């Protein structure tokens, strides 16, 4: 589906064109104009028409239609193809969702293709239309602002993940209870979300690094410092993701250690109670033997004495284990 289509000249939006071919020819003839088409999950028929009009490479067209691509930058003879993966984070479900944004940059045109719900393009177009000074730089400005918006989203998601991780960290070191029983599973689930986040951010470093160097076609030479700034922000995101991953690994180790300590505590308590029950069991076992000649059988105070002996021995063991922290 075509979301928006417009010609931009000298940083200003013109009327929506009636056809791609005439609009592209008009933009190229003007010299200081370009055509920007935005599509959302286009069908094969819709995108074939766009690809034919703009001469897009078949391999890039296939990638744009089927999505599920890693962030990358491909240079073709007539266009530049950039893949970005914007992300969003739902704190209520603690899940990271990734979409895809593809940009085709060529001579006086930009084609953006969006897949998924994580989408910065609407805000990007509005922001650019309110800043003609940036928009005058043409398709390169669109690619820069889209890249910057995606990386800004990464920074916001990393901050939200940090907040959620602090809550999880409190649960890990909370006293044992019903809510703490599935803490290890929650840590593994959180680790999977961080891994999905890393898949979106990690591969983008190489394309941005290439855009900071000269010689990339269809990219304005003066834009290199701006892409360098985006690359620097992405490096900060990578540091945050690495920090989150290390903290999760430490939390998982701490949780497993706590479980081991709790199991040892339980085993010590069981052993202590078993030792206390062993005393009456042993004494009762002795006096339960059916021998005729056994001492104390005819003694009047035998039974109270044995009961008192059992109680005293158990009490002494209880106090001993209590001082040792086993009870």
């Amino acid at each position: 589906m075509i979301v928006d289509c417009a010609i931009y000249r000298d940083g200003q939006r013109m009327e929506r064109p009636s056809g791609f071919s005439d609009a592209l020819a008009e933009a190229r003839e003007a010299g200081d104009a370009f055509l920007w088409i935005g599509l959302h999950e286009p069908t094969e028929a819709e995108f074939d028409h766009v690809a034919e009009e703009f001469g897009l490479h078949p391999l890039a067209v296939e990638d744009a239609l089927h999505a599920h691509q890693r962030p990358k930058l491909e240079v073709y003879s007539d266009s530049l193809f950039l893949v970005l993966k914007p992300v969003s984070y739902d704190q209520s479900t603690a899940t990271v969702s990734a979409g895809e944004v593809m940009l085709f940059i060529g001579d006086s045109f930009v084609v953006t293709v969006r897949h998924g719900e994580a989408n910065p393009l609407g805000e990007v177009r509005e922001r650019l239309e309110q800043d003609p000074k940036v928009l005058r730089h043409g398709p390169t400005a669109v690619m820069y602002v889209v890249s910057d918006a995606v990386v800004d989203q990464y920074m916001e998601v990393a901050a939200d993940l940090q907040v959620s991780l602090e809550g999880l960290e409190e649960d890990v070191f909370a006293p044992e209870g019903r809510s703490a029983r599935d803490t290890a599973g929650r840590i593994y689930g959180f680790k999977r979300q961080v891994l999905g986040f890393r898949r979106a951010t990690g591969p983008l470093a190489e394309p941005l690094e290439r855009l900071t160097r000269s010689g990339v076609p269809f990219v304005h030479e003066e834009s290199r410092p701006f892409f360098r700034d985006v690359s620097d922000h992405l490096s900060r995101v990578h540091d945050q993701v690495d920090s989150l991953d290390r903290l999760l690994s430490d939390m998982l180790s701490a949780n497993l250690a706590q479980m081991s300590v709790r199991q040892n505590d339980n085993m010590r308590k069981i052993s202590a109670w078993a030792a206390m029950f062993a005393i009456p069991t042993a004494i009762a076992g002795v006096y339960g033997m059916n021998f005729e000649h056994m001492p104390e059988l005819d003694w009047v105070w035998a039974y109270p004495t044995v009961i008192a002996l059992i109680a005293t021995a158990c009490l002494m063991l209880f106090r001993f284990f209590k001082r040792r922290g086993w009870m």
Side-chain angles (χ1 to χ4, degrees), residues 3 5 17 37 52 61 69 76 98 106 108 115 134 136 155-156 186 211 219-220 225 264 266 278 286 293 299 310 313:
V3 178
C5 176
I37 299 177
E52 182 179 355
V61 170
Q69 304 296 315
Y76 299 103
S108 302
H115 292 270
V134 175
R136 287 191 186 97
M155 298 178 72
E156 293 174 3
R186 292 172 59 196
L211 290 171
V219 176
H220 202 282
N264 289 337
N266 292 336
V286 170
H293 301 288
W299 187 27
I310 291 174

Side-chain angles (χ1 to χ4, degrees), residues 19-306:
F20 299 155
S21 299
D22 294 340
L24 182 59
E26 180 183 343
R28 286 174 173 169
E29 184 178 352
D32 59 349
F34 70 96
L35 176 65
W36 183 359
I37 299 177
L39 300 99
H40 176 227
E41 297 182 357
T43 64
E44 188 171 350
E46 289 175 336
F47 202 65
D48 282 347
H49 179 54
V50 174
E52 182 179 355
E53 291 290 345
F54 292 92
L56 304 180
H57 197 279
L59 293 177
V61 170
E62 183 180 357
D63 289 345
L65 281 173
H66 297 94
H68 303 294
Q69 304 296 315
R70 287 164 52 90
K72 63 180 180 178
L73 177 67
E74 300 286 352
V75 178
Y76 299 103
S77 58
D78 296 327
S79 63
L80 193 67
F81 181 54
L82 177 64
V83 179
L84 303 168
K85 292 185 76 69
V87 297
S88 61
Y89 178 64
D90 186 351
Q91 288 188 336
S92 61
T93 58
T95 54
V96 175
S97 302
E100 287 190 38
V101 173
M102 288 89 163
L103 292 92
F104 294 87
I105 309 294
D107 181 16
S108 302
F109 73 84
V110 179
V111 178
T112 55
V113 183
R114 175 171 64 89
H115 292 270
E117 296 302 322
N119 173 33
L121 293 185
E123 296 178 0
V124 165
R125 190 183 284 262
E126 292 177 4
R127 194 170 81 187
L128 274 172
E129 289 177 354
Q130 295 172 4
D131 193 353
K133 184 178 179 181
V134 175
L135 199 54
R136 287 191 186 97
H137 291 87
T140 302
V142 176
M143 184 166 61
Y144 157 67
V145 176
V146 171
S147 302
D148 186 54
V150 169
V151 174
D152 285 346
Q153 274 191 336
Y154 291 164
M155 298 178 72
E156 293 174 3
V157 169
D160 291 339
L161 285 171
Q162 182 66 47
V163 172
S164 297
L165 190 56
E166 289 173 359
L168 182 59
E169 188 176 17
E170 292 179 0
D171 291 342
V172 169
F173 296 101
E176 183 180 9
R178 185 187 182 105
S179 61
R181 291 179 182 176
D182 193 38
T183 303
R186 292 172 59 196
I187 294 174
Y188 273 117
F190 208 98
K191 204 170 179 64
R192 283 196 299 271
Q193 301 306 316
V194 172
L195 178 61
F197 187 31
R198 188 194 294 273
R199 290 196 187 103
T201 62
L204 184 58
E206 191 271 337
L208 287 179
E209 178 63 25
R210 290 176 61 187
L211 290 171
T212 63
R213 300 194 296 262
S214 60
V216 181
F218 309 109
V219 176
H220 202 282
E221 289 293 327
E222 295 180 0
S223 67
R224 283 184 291 167
F226 297 96
F227 284 110
R228 192 176 298 116
D229 181 65
V230 178
S231 181
D232 179 63
H233 290 172
L234 183 64
S235 298
R236 291 167 55 189
V237 172
H238 288 164
D239 292 340
Q240 289 179 286
V241 173
D242 289 340
S243 177
L244 290 172
D245 190 58
R246 287 194 301 270
L247 183 56
L248 281 167
S249 297
D250 293 341
M251 288 169 55
L252 183 60
S253 299
N255 180 252
L256 294 176
Q258 283 185 325
M259 291 176 60
S260 178
V261 169
R262 288 167 182 165
Q263 288 176 348
N264 289 337
D265 288 341
N266 292 336
M267 288 301 299
R268 286 190 297 181
K269 291 178 181 179
I270 293 172
S271 300
W273 284 109
M276 287 189 292
F277 277 110
I279 291 176
T281 301
I283 295 175
V286 170
Y287 283 94
M289 295 184 293
N290 296 320
F291 292 107
E292 182 177 355
H293 301 288
M294 290 184 67
E296 294 93 22
L297 288 180
D298 296 328
W299 187 27
V300 175
W301 299 101
Y303 178 74
T305 301
V306 170

